[in-house]
Structure formats: structure tokens, C-alpha cells
Amino acid sequence: MDFSGFLLIISIIIISGVVAYLGDVLGRRIGKQRLSVLKLRPRYTAILMSIITGVMIATITLAILTVASEDVRTALFGMRELREKLDSLNYEVKQRNTELDVMRKEAENFQKRIAELEQKEKDLILSRSQLESQVEILNGNIHDLVEQRNSLNEEIQSLQLELRRTQETIVAIRQGEIVFQEDEEMLRGLAPAGLAREEAENYLLTLLQRADELALRRGAGQDSSSQRAVFVMGDNFDQALEKLILSQNQTVIRLVSALNTLKGEPVITRFLLDDNKKIFAAGQLVYQKEVSVDSDQSNVEQILTEILSELNTLGVKQGIIPQRGRIGLVSALNLTDVSRQLSQLSDQVLINAIAENDIYTIGPLRVRLEIVKDKVP
């Protein structure tokens, strides 16, 4: 409670006490003097004065409160208006509550909508990420396809070039202008083991020099800038050099034509290297075949031809390098002698092929044919 309220209460108490005192004094006088008011008996007049005093106390109290407090004035004279305002405010509060409920529902709907939109946004982000991944994959596929297209274009150009060269080769073959065919062996050599780099390089260069002379004799042409007729393709020379240096055995070195070479063109070649391994020892049985000689000896030549062909096949399987398409080698004297002996027979016989000397990878498969009349069971 503030000081003004406390002062108001004190004032009301004092005034009420003064009024009560004055009423008491007035009542006693009237009682002593037996005065009458409004023709009432003195006793009733005293009672009336007490009533009037009480009314005055109440009136003065209300008057003071009314003057001093706006709330009291409102409670005494503006209650109806206050009640109407209160009813109006209650009605407005109800409306606001109703609006608030509607707004809450709308807010809930908005929250649901926001949650749906956020979920859609997440889905869109995920879809975007997936699409970006697909785009990257497609870009990679496009890159691969471009590389494949370029590779195919290069292959097409290479095939067109090869086709043109093949057509030129066919024409040249018809005209007899091929000096070296593809994979045709130009020459071969047997290099010793343990060559130093300089020795190995000189060995290969010597082979190339000999091949150059051979190519010119066969009708190949020289390059205008280097005046050479034989070239080694790519890094084949360096690869052959390294293999020759590292080899611990004798090495068979062949220089072959990498392409069909037309007359007047330089020869593109490549080196082929193989270890010169021992395949058969001298006197070793290399081959054996049981044959049946016809009664009229008409199949003798066929028998010998088949034996020579099978010897070539055997040599290839054993790793002997062919030379001019042949591996097996039988002396003319031995072949004539075997043919004569078969011509005198008309029964099944066993023919052995015996190695005449040690046979290595470099070849040839030099053998001696022998007829065993009493065949081995």
C-alpha cells in the first residue's frame, strides 16, 4: 500500500470519529433538553439523530472515497458501463479465441505443408544428386564413346590403309613386284652368350647392314634421307638389344619383314630372338613310323612325302625354327637309298629317323632314315 492510500484511510477514520462524536453530543443534548423534531418524542428524536449520524458517516466515507479513487467512482456510477465493456471484451476474447483456434489449425496445416515441402525438397535434393551422378556417368560414357569413336576412326583409317596396301600388294603379286612378303625371314644369326651392350649392339647393326645389302639385291628401295633400305619398326631394336644382353645362352636372331614390301620401297623389319636350346642329341631316335608298301610299290613316293611333312611338324612342335618353310632335312643320297629299298618291298615295314648330329633350336632337323624290315611289335 502506498502513502496516499494510508492517508485516505486515516482521514476516513478521523472524520467518522468526529461525526460520531458530534452525533453523540447532539443526541445527549436533545435527550437532556427533551427536544422534539418533527413532533417526535424525545426518545425517538434521539434515535433519529443516531440514524442520521450513521448515514452521514457512510455518506462522508463514500464521498471521500469517490473523490479520492477513480475505481470507487467507477464501481459506484460506471458499473453498468463497466459490465457492458466486460461483456464486450469477453465476446471479443471469445472471437479472438475462435480466431486463435482457426489460426492454430492453419498453423498446424502450414506446419504439415512445410514438413511435406521439406520432404519434397529432400527428395528433390536426392533426385538431383542421383541425376548429377547419372550425368557424370553419362559424361564418362560420352568420353568413352568419343575415345571409342576416335579409336574406331583410327582403326578404320588403319584398315583403309591396310586395304589399300593389300590391294597394291595383290596387284604387285600379279605383276611380280613383291620383294619381301610379310614375316619372311631375311637372314638369321647365332649370337654367343654374355655379350656386352656395345658388342650386342654391333652384332645387331651388322645383321642390319647385311640385310640392307640383301634388300638392295632383291630390288627394295632406299630411303631418300638416310640412304638405307632396311628399317626396324618401333622400339623393336631396343627390346632385342636388352634381351640379347640379358641372355645367358646362345641366341638365335632372325630378322623378318614386318610387312609386304613392294619393289622400290624400303623394308620394314623386326627382330625375333630365341634361346638356342639343344633339342636332339646325335644318334637319337627322332621319329618312327610304320608304313605299308603296296604290292606294286606305287605309294613309295607318297610315303616319303608324308614322312618329310611329319618331320617338319615334329620339328615345329619341338621348337626348331623353320628356314624357308622347312625344318626336316634328309640327304638326297639317303632319300634315294630308302626309296630303292622300299621299291623292293611289299609289306609293312618300320622307318626310323635318326639325328645325324646334335640338333638345336636354330635347326635344321638333319636326320637319317633307316628301314627296319622286322618291325617292332
Side-chain angles (χ1 to χ4, degrees):
M1 183 184 294
D2 57 4
F3 181 73
S4 59
F6 182 76
L7 183 62
L8 177 62
I9 293 172
I10 296 299
S11 300
I12 291 173
I13 293 172
I14 292 172
I15 294 171
S16 297
V18 172
V19 173
Y21 176 74
L22 292 176
D24 182 61
V25 172
L26 183 59
R28 281 186 293 170
R29 279 189 183 181
I30 293 174
K32 288 180 180 181
Q33 296 179 8
R34 301 191 64 82
L35 296 178
S36 177
V37 178
L38 299 178
K39 297 180 180 182
L40 295 174
R41 291 181 179 183
R43 180 183 172 204
Y44 292 114
T45 299
I47 292 171
L48 178 62
M49 292 306 295
S50 296
I51 293 172
I52 292 171
T53 302
V55 170
M56 288 179 64
I57 291 171
T59 302
I60 292 170
T61 301
L62 291 174
I64 293 172
L65 290 174
T66 302
V67 172
S69 176
E70 184 178 357
D71 294 336
V72 175
R73 288 197 300 271
T74 301
L76 293 175
F77 306 108
M79 184 59 69
R80 183 176 180 180
E81 182 181 358
L82 182 62
R83 195 170 289 162
E84 290 177 354
K85 286 184 179 180
L86 184 60
D87 293 339
S88 176
L89 289 174
N90 286 333
Y91 179 72
E92 187 173 354
V93 168
K94 290 181 180 179
Q95 287 184 330
R96 293 291 183 269
N97 287 334
T98 303
E99 293 176 357
L100 182 60
D101 292 338
V102 174
M103 293 179 68
R104 281 198 186 115
K105 291 181 180 179
E106 291 181 352
E108 290 177 357
N109 292 332
F110 281 132
Q111 289 293 337
K112 292 180 180 179
R113 183 61 178 167
I114 290 172
E116 292 175 358
L117 292 175
E118 288 178 347
Q119 185 62 39
K120 287 184 178 179
E121 182 182 10
K122 292 179 180 178
D123 294 339
L124 289 174
I125 292 173
L126 180 60
S127 299
R128 179 182 175 182
S129 176
Q130 293 175 346
L131 289 174
E132 288 177 350
S133 299
Q134 292 179 0
V135 168
E136 291 180 358
I137 294 173
L138 290 174
N139 287 334
N141 291 338
I142 291 173
H143 180 70
D144 294 339
L145 290 174
V146 170
E147 289 185 350
Q148 290 178 10
R149 183 193 65 186
N150 295 335
S151 177
L152 288 174
N153 287 334
E154 292 177 358
E155 187 174 352
I156 288 172
Q157 293 177 359
S158 176
L159 290 173
Q160 288 175 344
L161 179 61
E162 185 176 349
L163 176 61
R164 186 168 62 252
R165 185 172 182 85
T166 302
Q167 292 172 344
E168 293 175 354
T169 301
I170 292 172
V171 173
I173 290 173
R174 289 175 179 173
Q175 297 176 355
E177 293 182 354
I178 295 291
V179 293
F180 287 102
Q181 294 184 356
E182 184 177 358
D183 290 331
E184 180 181 348
E185 182 179 327
M186 296 182 67
L187 52 82
R188 71 173 60 183
L190 183 61
L195 290 178
R197 176 174 294 274
E198 185 177 356
E199 293 173 334
E201 186 173 1
N202 289 334
Y203 192 95
L204 295 178
L205 291 174
T206 300
L207 288 179
L208 286 175
Q209 185 177 0
R210 289 171 51 196
D212 200 84
E213 296 172 356
L214 174 62
L216 291 175
R217 289 197 303 269
R218 293 272 293 268
Q222 289 182 326
D223 179 69
S224 57
S225 58
S226 63
Q227 297 300 311
R228 290 167 51 194
V230 176
F231 295 88
V232 180
M233 62 184 302
D235 56 354
N236 177 257
F237 184 89
D238 294 333
Q239 293 175 355
L241 178 61
E242 293 299 325
K243 187 173 182 180
L244 184 57
I245 294 172
L246 297 175
S247 178
Q248 300 298 318
N249 302 310
Q250 288 184 328
T251 304
V252 180
I253 304 175
R254 291 178 292 154
L255 186 66
V256 300
S257 174
L259 303 169
N260 289 328
T261 305
L262 301 179
K263 188 175 181 179
E265 291 184 350
V267 186
I268 307 300
T269 63
R270 57 194 175 96
F271 284 107
L272 299 177
L273 278 69
D274 298 278
D275 287 340
N276 191 35
K277 300 176 181 178
K278 187 176 182 179
I279 308 298
F280 297 109
Q284 181 179 346
L285 177 64
V286 174
Y287 169 86
Q288 190 176 67
K289 183 179 178 66
E290 183 179 340
V291 299
S292 179
V293 182
D294 293 341
S295 58
D296 57 355
Q297 294 84 32
S298 59
N299 64 335
V300 171
E301 184 176 353
Q302 180 183 353
I303 291 172
L304 294 177
T305 302
E306 289 178 355
I307 290 174
L308 293 177
S309 176
E310 291 174 5
L311 283 171
N312 281 334
T313 304
L314 174 66
V316 171
K317 289 182 179 179
Q318 295 296 325
I320 300 173
I321 300 173
Q323 190 168 17
R324 295 183 179 87
R326 296 181 60 188
I327 295 178
L329 186 61
V330 180
S331 68
L333 182 61
N334 178 237
L335 202 60
T336 302
D337 184 52
V338 170
S339 176
R340 181 183 56 78
Q341 291 183 52
L342 290 175
S343 299
Q344 297 173 0
L345 299 173
S346 60
D347 198 0
Q348 288 187 336
V349 295
L350 194 65
I351 300 179
N352 293 335
I354 309 298
E356 288 194 345
N357 53 358
D358 290 341
I359 299 171
Y360 292 85
T361 303
I362 194 171
L365 179 60
R366 190 181 299 276
V367 296
R368 180 181 68 258
L369 298 180
E370 295 181 354
I371 297 177
V372 181
K373 294 181 182 180
D374 298 328
K375 62 179 182 177
V376 179

